[in-house]
Amino acid sequence: MTTITASNFARTTPAPAAATPAFTVDPYDPDVIARRTADAKRAETTADPLPNDLIGKPAPSYFRSYDQLKTALYEMEAKYPGLVEVRDIGDTAEKIAGTADRDILALVLTNKAMTGDKPSTLNVGGIHAREIANPELLMTFANQLLAGHGTNADATMLLDTREVVLVPMLNPDGHAVVEKGFLGERGGNTMQRKNTDAGEPALGTDLNRNFEYKWGGPGASASPRSETYRGPSAASAPETKAIQQFAIANKPDFFIDWHSYSKLNMYPWGDSREKTPHHAAFQALAQKFTSFNGYSPIQAIDLYATTGTTDDTIYAKNGKASMAIETGSSFHQSDQEFAKTLQENLPILSYTAKIADSPFERVFGPDVSSVTVDPTTRQLTATLSDLNNGKQAIAGAEVVLDPNAAPGTGMALTAADGTFDKFDEAVTGAASALPGLDPNAGDGTLVYVRGRDVAGNWGPLTAQWLTGPAKAAANSVSDAATSAAGVS
Ligand SMILES: [Zn+2]
């Protein structure tokens, strides 16, 4: 097992303004979308042996067992007691049956010293056991965020002002079957998708057909042998019940269910072509994700009709942002492919936390990057871009000392070229003139920059340390994510 660390957090050169990376294939090409949806359909439903290139044996080095992951979660809590709480949100089917001792564990990340009502995100991985990369994607994000607190400006902002909840492995019983498969043990199967609540893994429930919304409808089977078996009743599986109850009780502002594979960014509905009341925003969110990962943005129904799924149910219940992402191009991503999955998707985890105060609006607002504050003069400069947020002209920018201040209440920044008229603009202002700023404020003080476009859409805040050239080096979780994946 490889321990994944956040060794690359202290990036010295901030990344340029969000520009669409050059993807090897065009995620909007209808042929590409057709191929990916066909892949996904096959990946979602197959129980047949897959071609050898899709089955990685032995396990890739990032892979770890449920027990190893559980240990890592509690080690994280012990290392960062002020930032981490491991919460047991329910027992697995086998624990209830008395045949194993596995809990469904949620990692709650937030700076406990900063109280108040914090916007939240909920990310779930491993609902399908054989999709082994996503638990480690979420663990990598957790490690980076925690390692960045106090040094990385955006990581600090996110932990101070957000509650980031990760359930890296929702299906530990199914994962145990995969573990045995990699070890070549009796009863093992590296292709296990479902949970094991019927005692025999082959008769388990497809947790992602067992949720309440439209349970029992198309795209889910009534046959226990099927890979898409919906279960005997809605939320019959304890794993389903646990996360559904948790999501309804906590109403996360952004929910993502992470799957593999086929490179798709999906939004509700999955059972109907009907548009949700948030259709335009969901489309914008999926396309925004595409700017990070190059996956194709689709309404989930474009795959095939599904019912009883996580994201539809949580959207139907809460009315808040709720999506599903299919990472990579295999169930058992190689270490090389996993590194790419990190590079493509870590920025989405931080972005969704950034915009969690109002996802359906922030997604249309500009991104801020390359914030610098001169340690001597305290002149602030930043770059704004609306390129991947509707491509409208920037109309204004501001800097605030309080990350909870309402948009429009901060100190205005000016366009470096004198006029706001383009979708990307450099901005500048005297941070020393910030109302309420202690003139002696030094290391540890954050300032936050955001911009708005001509349509009046305010984007999310980006943070930077007020002083200290050493600290000014690291300002973006996304930068670090890119760096961690070995890309400069
Ligand atoms: Zn899946």
Side-chain angles (χ1 to χ4, degrees):
M1 188 195 81
T2 301
T3 305
I4 296 157
T5 61
S7 56
N8 290 299
F9 235 92
R11 190 186 166 93
T12 49
T13 311
T20 307
F23 298 118
T24 48
V25 294
D26 174 5
Y28 294 91
D29 179 338
D31 292 340
V32 170
I33 295 174
R35 197 180 68 230
R36 287 175 171 176
T37 52
D39 276 356
K41 187 170 180 177
R42 182 160 167 269
E44 281 288 294
T45 55
T46 188
D48 302 330
L50 289 174
N52 285 333
D53 63 333
L54 298 181
I55 303 176
K57 280 188 177 179
S61 66
Y62 64 80
F63 181 80
R64 59 184 147 184
S65 68
Y66 166 77
D67 287 336
Q68 288 173 315
L69 184 125
K70 178 179 175 178
T71 300
L73 292 176
Y74 284 106
E75 281 173 0
M76 230 180 253
E77 187 182 53
K79 186 174 177 186
Y80 302 100
L83 302 174
V84 179
E85 184 197 336
V86 179
R87 209 174 290 171
D88 177 353
I89 65 168
D91 297 339
T92 68
E94 289 190 39
K95 181 160 181 170
I96 291 167
T99 54
D101 181 17
R102 301 187 195 101
D103 300 307
I104 300 159
L105 299 173
L107 191 60
V108 182
L109 307 177
T110 194
N111 181 356
K112 298 171 190 173
M114 312 276 269
T115 54
D117 196 16
K118 297 180 180 181
S120 64
T121 62
L122 173 60
N123 288 274
V124 169
I127 185 171
H128 292 142
R130 64 194 175 194
E131 302 169 12
I132 60 173
N134 301 321
E136 298 304 325
L137 164 68
L138 300 186
M139 292 296 281
T140 304
F141 179 61
N143 278 316
Q144 290 201 339
L145 204 53
L146 294 167
H149 190 257
T151 54
N152 179 287
D154 267 2
T156 306
M157 172 181 75
L158 292 179
L159 285 164
D160 287 353
T161 67
R162 301 286 184 261
E163 185 175 86
V164 174
V165 184
L166 308 170
V167 179
M169 195 184 285
L170 185 63
N171 182 6
D173 290 346
H175 199 268
V177 177
V178 174
E179 291 165 26
K180 281 188 191 169
F182 280 124
L183 293 170
E185 289 177 6
R186 197 185 168 83
N189 176 9
T190 58
M191 291 300 288
Q192 179 70 21
R193 166 182 168 96
K194 304 189 288 181
N195 82 346
T196 64
D197 60 358
E200 193 204 322
L203 301 177
T205 300
D206 180 354
L207 301 177
N208 201 29
R209 298 294 183 276
N210 186 235
F211 285 74
E212 272 181 23
Y213 185 73
K214 302 274 180 91
W215 180 88
S221 174
S223 163
R225 288 222 165 263
S226 167
E227 287 297 311
T228 57
Y229 176 48
R230 68 195 185 196
S233 60
S236 55
E239 295 85 357
T240 304
K241 199 177 295 172
I243 196 70
Q244 190 172 289
Q245 281 178 353
F246 184 86
I248 293 167
N250 291 283
K251 299 206 178 340
D253 296 287
F254 216 116
F255 171 82
I256 301 178
D257 191 13
W258 292 87
H259 288 258
S260 287
Y261 59 88
S262 63
K263 303 195 172 185
L264 295 169
N265 299 322
M266 299 187 289
Y267 52 91
W269 302 110
D271 72 303
S272 152
R273 297 211 172 271
E274 191 188 320
K275 292 177 179 172
T276 69
H278 299 108
H279 187 78
F282 271 129
Q283 231 173 0
L285 285 164
Q287 291 176 9
K288 180 68 182 177
F289 291 0
T290 296
S291 75
F292 295 120
N293 63 16
Y295 300 175
S296 296
I298 63 166
Q299 188 175 348
I301 181 71
D302 291 339
L303 190 55
Y304 64 98
T306 53
T307 51
T309 64
T310 53
D311 47 330
D312 274 7
T313 298
I314 290 170
Y315 176 66
K317 293 273 181 190
N318 293 345
K320 297 187 172 193
S322 179
M323 298 176 69
I325 297 178
E326 298 272 1
T327 69
S329 45
S330 55
F331 291 125
H332 306 146
Q333 299 180 16
S334 65
D335 287 303
Q336 195 183 7
E337 186 179 9
F338 178 62
K340 198 153 184 295
T341 292
L342 292 181
Q343 175 198 342
E344 291 164 341
N345 295 291
L346 287 171
I348 292 173
L349 288 158
S350 53
Y351 179 74
T352 48
K354 265 191 163 192
I355 65 169
D357 61 316
S358 191
F360 294 139
E361 294 158 45
R362 297 283 168 266
V363 67
F364 295 109
D367 295 311
V368 176
S369 62
S370 307
V371 182
T372 59
V373 184
D374 186 289
T376 311
T377 65
R378 292 199 161 165
Q379 190 69 19
L380 181 149
T381 58
T383 304
L384 274 67
S385 174
D386 208 52
L387 176 64
N388 294 309
N389 313 288
K391 211 174 176 180
Q392 292 172 295
I394 305 294
E398 68 178 17
V399 55
V400 294
L401 270 177
D402 173 9
N404 297 312
T409 60
M411 188 187 91
L413 298 169
T414 56
D417 64 3
T419 317
F420 284 114
D421 55 359
K422 302 185 296 296
F423 70 79
D424 54 350
E425 292 279 358
V427 299
T428 185
S432 55
L434 258 169
L437 177 69
D438 173 355
N440 298 316
D443 283 356
T445 302
L446 285 168
V447 292
Y448 309 86
V449 177
R450 68 184 146 212
R452 109 185 113 80
D453 64 21
V454 285
N457 303 304
W458 283 98
L461 292 171
T462 291
Q464 185 53 288
W465 301 105
L466 186 61
T467 61
K471 283 195 169 176
N475 77 321
S476 157
V477 177
S478 301
D479 292 354
T482 304
S483 177
V487 175
S488 55

